[in-house]
Amino acid sequence: MKVLTLAGSNSANSINKQLAIYATSLIENAEADIIDINDYEMPIFSMEREAELGQPEQAKQFHQKIADADAIVISFAEYNGSYSAAFKNLFDWTSRIDPKVYQNKPMLLLATSPGPGGAASVLNTAVTSAPYFNGDVKASLSIPSFYDNFDVEQGKLSNAELNDKLQTAVALLTQ
Ligand SMILES: Cc1cc2nc3c(=O)[nH]c(=O)nc-3n(C[C@H](O)[C@H](O)[C@H](O)COP(=O)(O)O)c2cc1C
């Protein structure tokens, strides 16, 4: 099972990337395709830039990454209650190639933040909007207070209860 794994963040030390990678490591027989959205950076979308640039190679490549995957794991960073500009820009450009960005792929959607809210707001946005983009969301989970619940050194959740929830979510993705 080829699993496209990414964070909705362009931070070099993204906690969401750490969470997405850990979640993917729990999937049996997964072949992880871990991507960094920094590699798909484009100018901020505008109609004028689209007229000038057409469909940028980065957007085509991202769309192809999704096409090539059997399943997708995304963990979203929350900025002011919503997506990071980096993720939203990539999504917007990709949606101009294909409005059904997620291409019917089974998805596990995650989110985390250092605070107690656990980026639940952006996760809710992502989950409720996914069907419009042909995203087949099998499970979702927000992890609050990342640094209290995740062992950064070991790269795994240290909170047993949250780890059980993640295992359940992963099982739903692969069923
Ligand atoms: C501009 C900005 C806005 C933020 N807004 C929120 C927010 O609304 N909710 C939240 O839980 N954390 C918020 N944070 C904190 C992020 O959750 C934190 O920076 C986290 O590390 C981002 O995820 P990442 O490490 O995967 O990039 C914000 C951070 C920044 C820089």
PDB file of all heavy atoms in Angstrom, residues 144-170:
ATOM      1  N   PRO A 144      -3.970  17.146  20.918  1.00  0.00           N
ATOM      2  CA  PRO A 144      -3.704  18.415  21.618  1.00  0.00           C
ATOM      3  C   PRO A 144      -2.327  18.392  22.294  1.00  0.00           C
ATOM      4  O   PRO A 144      -1.727  17.325  22.459  1.00  0.00           O
ATOM      5  CB  PRO A 144      -4.831  18.470  22.660  1.00  0.00           C
ATOM      6  CG  PRO A 144      -5.173  17.049  22.933  1.00  0.00           C
ATOM      7  CD  PRO A 144      -4.882  16.272  21.660  1.00  0.00           C
ATOM      8  N   SER A 145      -1.877  19.545  22.682  1.00  0.00           N
ATOM      9  CA  SER A 145      -0.675  19.707  23.522  1.00  0.00           C
ATOM     10  C   SER A 145       0.445  18.764  23.061  1.00  0.00           C
ATOM     11  O   SER A 145       0.916  17.905  23.825  1.00  0.00           O
ATOM     12  CB  SER A 145      -1.034  19.436  24.995  1.00  0.00           C
ATOM     13  OG  SER A 145      -2.133  20.229  25.369  1.00  0.00           O
ATOM     14  N   PHE A 146       0.866  18.953  21.832  1.00  0.00           N
ATOM     15  CA  PHE A 146       1.798  18.028  21.176  1.00  0.00           C
ATOM     16  C   PHE A 146       2.972  17.628  22.064  1.00  0.00           C
ATOM     17  O   PHE A 146       3.294  16.435  22.203  1.00  0.00           O
ATOM     18  CB  PHE A 146       2.313  18.664  19.873  1.00  0.00           C
ATOM     19  CG  PHE A 146       3.334  17.833  19.145  1.00  0.00           C
ATOM     20  CD1 PHE A 146       2.938  16.795  18.312  1.00  0.00           C
ATOM     21  CD2 PHE A 146       4.693  18.093  19.273  1.00  0.00           C
ATOM     22  CE1 PHE A 146       3.867  16.021  17.633  1.00  0.00           C
ATOM     23  CE2 PHE A 146       5.633  17.323  18.591  1.00  0.00           C
ATOM     24  CZ  PHE A 146       5.225  16.296  17.779  1.00  0.00           C
ATOM     25  N   TYR A 147       3.607  18.630  22.670  1.00  0.00           N
ATOM     26  CA  TYR A 147       4.856  18.319  23.387  1.00  0.00           C
ATOM     27  C   TYR A 147       4.608  17.550  24.691  1.00  0.00           C
ATOM     28  O   TYR A 147       5.528  16.925  25.224  1.00  0.00           O
ATOM     29  CB  TYR A 147       5.659  19.597  23.632  1.00  0.00           C
ATOM     30  CG  TYR A 147       6.178  20.178  22.326  1.00  0.00           C
ATOM     31  CD1 TYR A 147       5.550  21.282  21.726  1.00  0.00           C
ATOM     32  CD2 TYR A 147       7.255  19.601  21.668  1.00  0.00           C
ATOM     33  CE1 TYR A 147       5.998  21.791  20.510  1.00  0.00           C
ATOM     34  CE2 TYR A 147       7.715  20.098  20.462  1.00  0.00           C
ATOM     35  CZ  TYR A 147       7.085  21.197  19.890  1.00  0.00           C
ATOM     36  OH  TYR A 147       7.534  21.690  18.687  1.00  0.00           O
ATOM     37  N   ASP A 148       3.369  17.543  25.169  1.00  0.00           N
ATOM     38  CA  ASP A 148       3.039  16.728  26.350  1.00  0.00           C
ATOM     39  C   ASP A 148       2.719  15.288  25.955  1.00  0.00           C
ATOM     40  O   ASP A 148       2.774  14.384  26.797  1.00  0.00           O
ATOM     41  CB  ASP A 148       1.806  17.298  27.078  1.00  0.00           C
ATOM     42  CG  ASP A 148       2.074  18.665  27.674  1.00  0.00           C
ATOM     43  OD1 ASP A 148       3.272  18.985  27.885  1.00  0.00           O
ATOM     44  OD2 ASP A 148       1.116  19.418  27.897  1.00  0.00           O
ATOM     45  N   ASN A 149       2.355  15.101  24.712  1.00  0.00           N
ATOM     46  CA  ASN A 149       1.808  13.796  24.304  1.00  0.00           C
ATOM     47  C   ASN A 149       2.638  13.050  23.258  1.00  0.00           C
ATOM     48  O   ASN A 149       2.314  11.909  22.917  1.00  0.00           O
ATOM     49  CB  ASN A 149       0.388  14.001  23.751  1.00  0.00           C
ATOM     50  CG  ASN A 149      -0.568  14.453  24.835  1.00  0.00           C
ATOM     51  OD1 ASN A 149      -0.547  13.905  25.927  1.00  0.00           O
ATOM     52  ND2 ASN A 149      -1.387  15.457  24.540  1.00  0.00           N
ATOM     53  N   PHE A 150       3.681  13.691  22.769  1.00  0.00           N
ATOM     54  CA  PHE A 150       4.499  13.088  21.716  1.00  0.00           C
ATOM     55  C   PHE A 150       5.953  13.131  22.149  1.00  0.00           C
ATOM     56  O   PHE A 150       6.452  14.180  22.592  1.00  0.00           O
ATOM     57  CB  PHE A 150       4.304  13.861  20.405  1.00  0.00           C
ATOM     58  CG  PHE A 150       4.824  13.172  19.171  1.00  0.00           C
ATOM     59  CD1 PHE A 150       3.986  12.379  18.386  1.00  0.00           C
ATOM     60  CD2 PHE A 150       6.151  13.330  18.765  1.00  0.00           C
ATOM     61  CE1 PHE A 150       4.460  11.747  17.237  1.00  0.00           C
ATOM     62  CE2 PHE A 150       6.630  12.702  17.616  1.00  0.00           C
ATOM     63  CZ  PHE A 150       5.775  11.911  16.848  1.00  0.00           C
ATOM     64  N   ASP A 151       6.626  12.015  22.043  1.00  0.00           N
ATOM     65  CA  ASP A 151       8.047  11.937  22.372  1.00  0.00           C
ATOM     66  C   ASP A 151       8.844  12.256  21.100  1.00  0.00           C
ATOM     67  O   ASP A 151       8.948  11.413  20.198  1.00  0.00           O
ATOM     68  CB  ASP A 151       8.362  10.521  22.886  1.00  0.00           C
ATOM     69  CG  ASP A 151       9.804  10.384  23.355  1.00  0.00           C
ATOM     70  OD1 ASP A 151      10.676  11.116  22.820  1.00  0.00           O
ATOM     71  OD2 ASP A 151      10.065   9.536  24.226  1.00  0.00           O
ATOM     72  N   VAL A 152       9.365  13.457  21.053  1.00  0.00           N
ATOM     73  CA  VAL A 152      10.040  13.926  19.839  1.00  0.00           C
ATOM     74  C   VAL A 152      11.298  13.108  19.554  1.00  0.00           C
ATOM     75  O   VAL A 152      11.628  12.835  18.398  1.00  0.00           O
ATOM     76  CB  VAL A 152      10.366  15.440  19.971  1.00  0.00           C
ATOM     77  CG1 VAL A 152      11.212  15.923  18.818  1.00  0.00           C
ATOM     78  CG2 VAL A 152       9.076  16.246  20.071  1.00  0.00           C
ATOM     79  N   GLU A 153      11.990  12.724  20.621  1.00  0.00           N
ATOM     80  CA  GLU A 153      13.224  11.927  20.440  1.00  0.00           C
ATOM     81  C   GLU A 153      12.928  10.579  19.771  1.00  0.00           C
ATOM     82  O   GLU A 153      13.633  10.155  18.864  1.00  0.00           O
ATOM     83  CB  GLU A 153      13.867  11.646  21.806  1.00  0.00           C
ATOM     84  CG  GLU A 153      14.206  12.898  22.581  1.00  0.00           C
ATOM     85  CD  GLU A 153      15.697  13.057  22.763  1.00  0.00           C
ATOM     86  OE1 GLU A 153      16.295  12.140  23.333  1.00  0.00           O
ATOM     87  OE2 GLU A 153      16.236  14.095  22.323  1.00  0.00           O
ATOM     88  N   GLN A 154      11.882   9.947  20.258  1.00  0.00           N
ATOM     89  CA  GLN A 154      11.539   8.613  19.738  1.00  0.00           C
ATOM     90  C   GLN A 154      10.612   8.684  18.525  1.00  0.00           C
ATOM     91  O   GLN A 154      10.403   7.668  17.846  1.00  0.00           O
ATOM     92  CB  GLN A 154      10.869   7.780  20.830  1.00  0.00           C
ATOM     93  CG  GLN A 154      11.818   7.482  21.981  1.00  0.00           C
ATOM     94  CD  GLN A 154      11.383   6.237  22.738  1.00  0.00           C
ATOM     95  OE1 GLN A 154      11.014   5.242  22.135  1.00  0.00           O
ATOM     96  NE2 GLN A 154      11.426   6.308  24.055  1.00  0.00           N
ATOM     97  N   GLY A 155      10.041   9.846  18.286  1.00  0.00           N
ATOM     98  CA  GLY A 155       9.164  10.022  17.137  1.00  0.00           C
ATOM     99  C   GLY A 155       7.868   9.244  17.252  1.00  0.00           C
ATOM    100  O   GLY A 155       7.356   8.713  16.258  1.00  0.00           O
ATOM    101  N   LYS A 156       7.337   9.173  18.486  1.00  0.00           N
ATOM    102  CA  LYS A 156       6.061   8.459  18.660  1.00  0.00           C
ATOM    103  C   LYS A 156       5.219   9.096  19.761  1.00  0.00           C
ATOM    104  O   LYS A 156       5.753   9.807  20.636  1.00  0.00           O
ATOM    105  CB  LYS A 156       6.297   6.985  18.952  1.00  0.00           C
ATOM    106  CG  LYS A 156       7.254   6.710  20.102  1.00  0.00           C
ATOM    107  CD  LYS A 156       7.137   5.292  20.575  1.00  0.00           C
ATOM    108  CE  LYS A 156       7.904   4.309  19.730  1.00  0.00           C
ATOM    109  NZ  LYS A 156       8.114   3.015  20.404  1.00  0.00           N
ATOM    110  N   LEU A 157       3.933   8.803  19.730  1.00  0.00           N
ATOM    111  CA  LEU A 157       3.048   9.312  20.780  1.00  0.00           C
ATOM    112  C   LEU A 157       3.420   8.669  22.105  1.00  0.00           C
ATOM    113  O   LEU A 157       3.596   7.449  22.184  1.00  0.00           O
ATOM    114  CB  LEU A 157       1.586   8.998  20.431  1.00  0.00           C
ATOM    115  CG  LEU A 157       0.883   9.949  19.457  1.00  0.00           C
ATOM    116  CD1 LEU A 157      -0.469   9.375  19.048  1.00  0.00           C
ATOM    117  CD2 LEU A 157       0.708  11.348  20.039  1.00  0.00           C
ATOM    118  N   SER A 158       3.513   9.468  23.153  1.00  0.00           N
ATOM    119  CA  SER A 158       3.838   8.942  24.480  1.00  0.00           C
ATOM    120  C   SER A 158       2.567   8.744  25.308  1.00  0.00           C
ATOM    121  O   SER A 158       2.595   8.032  26.310  1.00  0.00           O
ATOM    122  CB  SER A 158       4.792   9.895  25.201  1.00  0.00           C
ATOM    123  OG  SER A 158       4.286  11.218  25.141  1.00  0.00           O
ATOM    124  N   ASN A 159       1.485   9.353  24.880  1.00  0.00           N
ATOM    125  CA  ASN A 159       0.206   9.216  25.588  1.00  0.00           C
ATOM    126  C   ASN A 159      -0.513   7.960  25.087  1.00  0.00           C
ATOM    127  O   ASN A 159      -0.911   7.874  23.917  1.00  0.00           O
ATOM    128  CB  ASN A 159      -0.632  10.476  25.330  1.00  0.00           C
ATOM    129  CG  ASN A 159      -1.984  10.416  26.014  1.00  0.00           C
ATOM    130  OD1 ASN A 159      -2.698   9.431  25.920  1.00  0.00           O
ATOM    131  ND2 ASN A 159      -2.327  11.502  26.695  1.00  0.00           N
ATOM    132  N   ALA A 160      -0.663   6.977  25.975  1.00  0.00           N
ATOM    133  CA  ALA A 160      -1.192   5.666  25.563  1.00  0.00           C
ATOM    134  C   ALA A 160      -2.625   5.764  25.029  1.00  0.00           C
ATOM    135  O   ALA A 160      -2.980   5.094  24.052  1.00  0.00           O
ATOM    136  CB  ALA A 160      -1.130   4.696  26.736  1.00  0.00           C
ATOM    137  N   GLU A 161      -3.415   6.605  25.663  1.00  0.00           N
ATOM    138  CA  GLU A 161      -4.816   6.728  25.245  1.00  0.00           C
ATOM    139  C   GLU A 161      -4.903   7.309  23.823  1.00  0.00           C
ATOM    140  O   GLU A 161      -5.655   6.808  22.977  1.00  0.00           O
ATOM    141  CB  GLU A 161      -5.536   7.650  26.238  1.00  0.00           C
ATOM    142  CG  GLU A 161      -7.034   7.566  26.180  1.00  0.00           C
ATOM    143  CD  GLU A 161      -7.673   8.540  27.172  1.00  0.00           C
ATOM    144  OE1 GLU A 161      -7.125   8.703  28.294  1.00  0.00           O
ATOM    145  OE2 GLU A 161      -8.683   9.137  26.821  1.00  0.00           O
ATOM    146  N   LEU A 162      -4.115   8.342  23.581  1.00  0.00           N
ATOM    147  CA  LEU A 162      -4.103   8.940  22.228  1.00  0.00           C
ATOM    148  C   LEU A 162      -3.506   7.970  21.218  1.00  0.00           C
ATOM    149  O   LEU A 162      -3.940   7.907  20.061  1.00  0.00           O
ATOM    150  CB  LEU A 162      -3.322  10.255  22.238  1.00  0.00           C
ATOM    151  CG  LEU A 162      -4.000  11.422  22.967  1.00  0.00           C
ATOM    152  CD1 LEU A 162      -3.052  12.603  23.096  1.00  0.00           C
ATOM    153  CD2 LEU A 162      -5.271  11.839  22.229  1.00  0.00           C
ATOM    154  N   ASN A 163      -2.531   7.197  21.671  1.00  0.00           N
ATOM    155  CA  ASN A 163      -1.929   6.212  20.770  1.00  0.00           C
ATOM    156  C   ASN A 163      -2.954   5.148  20.362  1.00  0.00           C
ATOM    157  O   ASN A 163      -3.007   4.739  19.199  1.00  0.00           O
ATOM    158  CB  ASN A 163      -0.718   5.556  21.438  1.00  0.00           C
ATOM    159  CG  ASN A 163       0.214   4.949  20.425  1.00  0.00           C
ATOM    160  OD1 ASN A 163       0.586   5.599  19.446  1.00  0.00           O
ATOM    161  ND2 ASN A 163       0.566   3.694  20.606  1.00  0.00           N
ATOM    162  N   ASP A 164      -3.785   4.731  21.316  1.00  0.00           N
ATOM    163  CA  ASP A 164      -4.855   3.775  20.994  1.00  0.00           C
ATOM    164  C   ASP A 164      -5.809   4.374  19.965  1.00  0.00           C
ATOM    165  O   ASP A 164      -6.238   3.690  19.029  1.00  0.00           O
ATOM    166  CB  ASP A 164      -5.648   3.411  22.258  1.00  0.00           C
ATOM    167  CG  ASP A 164      -4.888   2.447  23.148  1.00  0.00           C
ATOM    168  OD1 ASP A 164      -3.839   1.939  22.697  1.00  0.00           O
ATOM    169  OD2 ASP A 164      -5.332   2.212  24.288  1.00  0.00           O
ATOM    170  N   LYS A 165      -6.145   5.641  20.162  1.00  0.00           N
ATOM    171  CA  LYS A 165      -7.051   6.305  19.214  1.00  0.00           C
ATOM    172  C   LYS A 165      -6.431   6.368  17.822  1.00  0.00           C
ATOM    173  O   LYS A 165      -7.110   6.181  16.810  1.00  0.00           O
ATOM    174  CB  LYS A 165      -7.386   7.720  19.700  1.00  0.00           C
ATOM    175  CG  LYS A 165      -8.360   7.748  20.850  1.00  0.00           C
ATOM    176  CD  LYS A 165      -8.769   9.171  21.185  1.00  0.00           C
ATOM    177  CE  LYS A 165      -9.783   9.146  22.328  1.00  0.00           C
ATOM    178  NZ  LYS A 165     -10.078  10.458  22.860  1.00  0.00           N
ATOM    179  N   LEU A 166      -5.134   6.633  17.781  1.00  0.00           N
ATOM    180  CA  LEU A 166      -4.465   6.696  16.477  1.00  0.00           C
ATOM    181  C   LEU A 166      -4.426   5.308  15.828  1.00  0.00           C
ATOM    182  O   LEU A 166      -4.643   5.179  14.620  1.00  0.00           O
ATOM    183  CB  LEU A 166      -3.049   7.271  16.630  1.00  0.00           C
ATOM    184  CG  LEU A 166      -2.294   7.508  15.324  1.00  0.00           C
ATOM    185  CD1 LEU A 166      -3.046   8.484  14.401  1.00  0.00           C
ATOM    186  CD2 LEU A 166      -0.888   8.050  15.577  1.00  0.00           C
ATOM    187  N   GLN A 167      -4.173   4.283  16.634  1.00  0.00           N
ATOM    188  CA  GLN A 167      -4.178   2.905  16.094  1.00  0.00           C
ATOM    189  C   GLN A 167      -5.544   2.575  15.491  1.00  0.00           C
ATOM    190  O   GLN A 167      -5.622   1.959  14.415  1.00  0.00           O
ATOM    191  CB  GLN A 167      -3.896   1.891  17.220  1.00  0.00           C
ATOM    192  CG  GLN A 167      -2.536   2.049  17.881  1.00  0.00           C
ATOM    193  CD  GLN A 167      -1.467   1.145  17.280  1.00  0.00           C
ATOM    194  OE1 GLN A 167      -1.633   0.644  16.174  1.00  0.00           O
ATOM    195  NE2 GLN A 167      -0.362   0.969  17.985  1.00  0.00           N
ATOM    196  N   THR A 168      -6.590   2.981  16.164  1.00  0.00           N
ATOM    197  CA  THR A 168      -7.946   2.737  15.669  1.00  0.00           C
ATOM    198  C   THR A 168      -8.165   3.476  14.356  1.00  0.00           C
ATOM    199  O   THR A 168      -8.737   2.929  13.400  1.00  0.00           O
ATOM    200  CB  THR A 168      -8.987   3.200  16.726  1.00  0.00           C
ATOM    201  OG1 THR A 168      -8.714   2.524  17.941  1.00  0.00           O
ATOM    202  CG2 THR A 168     -10.403   2.923  16.278  1.00  0.00           C
ATOM    203  N   ALA A 169      -7.706   4.716  14.313  1.00  0.00           N
ATOM    204  CA  ALA A 169      -7.862   5.520  13.098  1.00  0.00           C
ATOM    205  C   ALA A 169      -7.098   4.893  11.932  1.00  0.00           C
ATOM    206  O   ALA A 169      -7.607   4.815  10.806  1.00  0.00           O
ATOM    207  CB  ALA A 169      -7.366   6.944  13.359  1.00  0.00           C
ATOM    208  N   VAL A 170      -5.897   4.420  12.208  1.00  0.00           N
ATOM    209  CA  VAL A 170      -5.077   3.784  11.176  1.00  0.00           C
ATOM    210  C   VAL A 170      -5.759   2.515  10.660  1.00  0.00           C
ATOM    211  O   VAL A 170      -5.771   2.234   9.457  1.00  0.00           O
ATOM    212  CB  VAL A 170      -3.664   3.485  11.737  1.00  0.00           C
ATOM    213  CG1 VAL A 170      -2.936   2.473  10.878  1.00  0.00           C
ATOM    214  CG2 VAL A 170      -2.853   4.772  11.842  1.00  0.00           C
TER     215      VAL A 170
END
